[in-house]
Structure formats: structure tokens, C-alpha cells
Amino acid sequence: MMTYDSLGSEQPRYYHLCSDGALTPHFLLGEEDFRMAFNLVGACAANCEINLLAFSLEDTHLHALSFGTKTACLQFSAMFGESWAHHVGRTRGTRKKADIELDVIPVDSEDHLMGVGTYVIVQPTKDGKQVMPYDYRWGTGSMYFRGSGHRSIWTVDVAGGRLPTVRAGDLSRHQTKELLGTRRPVPDEWQLCGGLLLPDNYIDVARFESIYRTANCFRVFLSSNRSRDQAIQERIAAARGVALEDVEARMHCHEFMNDMYGFKDVRRLDAHQRIVLAQHLVRKLHLSRRQTASLVMLPFSEVCKYV
């Protein structure tokens, strides 16, 4: 059995990745956005050294369970955020309010892990969508503990007929970029169906199922448990840090800068010094990365990458 407390940040472990819907109320505005975000999850997974075990997309936020190093998970977050901002700029004419940050929250116990796995996939149902997790098109709840003859929900039509698939390697670079929203490659053998990059290509179903061991245990954890959910939500809140009033946060930033570099003008800092200052602000004050990016005058995606 894996131990949790002894694992360092650069050893592979489980992480709960999630965004804050309150900060991105206009994340997904319609079918095109859902399809693009769905495909971007897979494209980013293909280009980061992480295993994705589960994810779900909703109108305002994203949840996922991953296995990998913290650095790899932060890379996934930054890559998804950068690609998403590009899509928003292209389709909406502005990147304003396009930033999306995935909190990277370490899983610290077996019970936490089992709770997060089901928490991720039941979010659409618990948030009021009239659909069960195993029928939700924009999440992976349909993939676990299914019989050998089960067909992926993304490869059948409404009548149950099988839809054709295509290899990524058989598409042109332009077609791939239009579908996936990124120039980053995916393996040639990966399959697409109806313009969607199939999660069957990259979701680690076997590792997910091994967490619960039996279908019955999985069923039990799928059931709502208020105390378990509350514990997960408390970990999310702790990971997101605090948001001080801008005047107070700037005052602390200037104090730290003066102690570290002997002056208070952030514009005099080079990129490396700004990253060090950002790390100091997050570590000492537990500021959110979004507020920290503004204080140190760095792109939000860079703060997510290095802090």
C-alpha cells in the first residue's frame, strides 16, 4: 500500500486537480467550448508525464484525478490554461477573463483518494444536471467497472449504433489543430470519434479501479457522504489560499521585496527574481496565485508553472 505523508513533491503521487468556478463563470458557454475543453484535456495529458484517472467538465469548472509528480501536474495546469486562453481569444475576440487555474492538491490518505475519485465524476449530478455520472458525456464516469462488451458512450449514436473512428495519425496537422485546439501532437494511434479525442486513449481505468478494488466498494463511494465531501472541500479551500485586500497585499509584497532586494519597485526585478518573490508570497502569506501574479507583474500562466 502506498504511504502518503512521506512522499516528496517530486515523487509521483495522486493529486486532485480542480478549478474555481467562482473565478470562471463563463468557462464553457456551449457545445463548441465543451468539445474543445474535452479534447484539450487529452491533448495536454499526451504532452505531460502524468496519468489521468478521471475528469469531469462543467459550465464553470473542471475536476480531475491524476497520478504524477507535482511538477508534471503544474505543467498540465499551465498547458491547459494557455491553450484555453488561446481558444477563448480566437472564438470570443478577447482573452479577458479567460484565465483558468487548476489547483494541484496532494492526496494524503487512502480514504481521501477514494473520496476524490468519486467526487470528481459525480460533480455534474450533484450540481443539478439531470444525468447520472455513467451517462454524462463530458466526464469519464461511464468508463469504470463495465463489462467487456460495453461500448464507449462517445462511439455510439442515440440508437446504439456504432460510429466510425479515425486515427489521429490519419488527420492533417491543420485538422488536428482545429479539433484539439493546440499544435502539440498526440500519438498517431489515438482514436477520435465525431470530432472528440476519446478518453479511452489516455484515461488509466485500471489504476482507477484498483483504488476501489471491487464494483461494490465503488458503488458505496459513489453514494453521497456529507462529511467526506466536506473534508475534500476543506482541502480545496486551503489549497486556494487567501485573497487579501489589494492595498494590504501590496504592502506585504513591498516589505518582502525590500528585505530581499533592497528596493520596492517590482519593475526592477528580472524574471527569476519575480518568480522567487512570488514563491515567497505564496509560502508566507498563502496568497492565491492569481493575486500573486498581479503583484509581481508576471503572466498568470508563468506563476502557475513555477509557484
Side-chain angles (χ1 to χ4, degrees), residues 16 18-20 63 103-105 112 119 229-243 285-289:
H16 180 189
C18 56
S19 62
D20 187 348
H63 281 277
D103 298 300
V104 178
I105 304 169
H112 184 200
Y119 184 90
D229 287 354
Q230 184 176 350
I232 292 171
Q233 290 159 4
E234 287 173 354
R235 285 180 172 91
I236 294 172
R240 286 177 178 160
V242 299
L285 298 179
H286 304 290
L287 291 183
S288 70
R289 289 178 174 84

Side-chain angles (χ1 to χ4, degrees), residues 5-23:
D5 295 339
S6 61
L7 289 178
S9 63
E10 288 311 299
Q11 292 180 277
R13 66 181 297 175
Y14 291 103
Y15 288 94
H16 180 189
L17 312 181
C18 56
S19 62
D20 187 348
L23 299 176

Side-chain angles (χ1 to χ4, degrees), residues 97-110:
K97 298 183 178 180
D99 289 336
I100 183 167
E101 174 185 5
L102 298 180
D103 298 300
V104 178
I105 304 169
V107 172
D108 56 18
S109 69
E110 185 174 9

Side-chain angles (χ1 to χ4, degrees), residues 80-98:
F80 184 89
E82 176 187 347
S83 300
W84 184 252
H86 176 77
H87 165 74
V88 170
R90 180 176 60 84
T91 58
R92 303 181 195 175
T94 177
R95 291 194 178 194
K96 187 176 180 181
K97 298 183 178 180

Side-chain angles (χ1 to χ4, degrees), residues 245-260:
E245 291 291 337
D246 286 343
V247 172
E248 183 180 359
R250 198 167 301 281
M251 178 188 70
H252 286 299
C253 180
H254 288 166
E255 289 175 353
F256 289 151
M257 200 181 340
N258 192 55
D259 290 342
M260 296 165 69

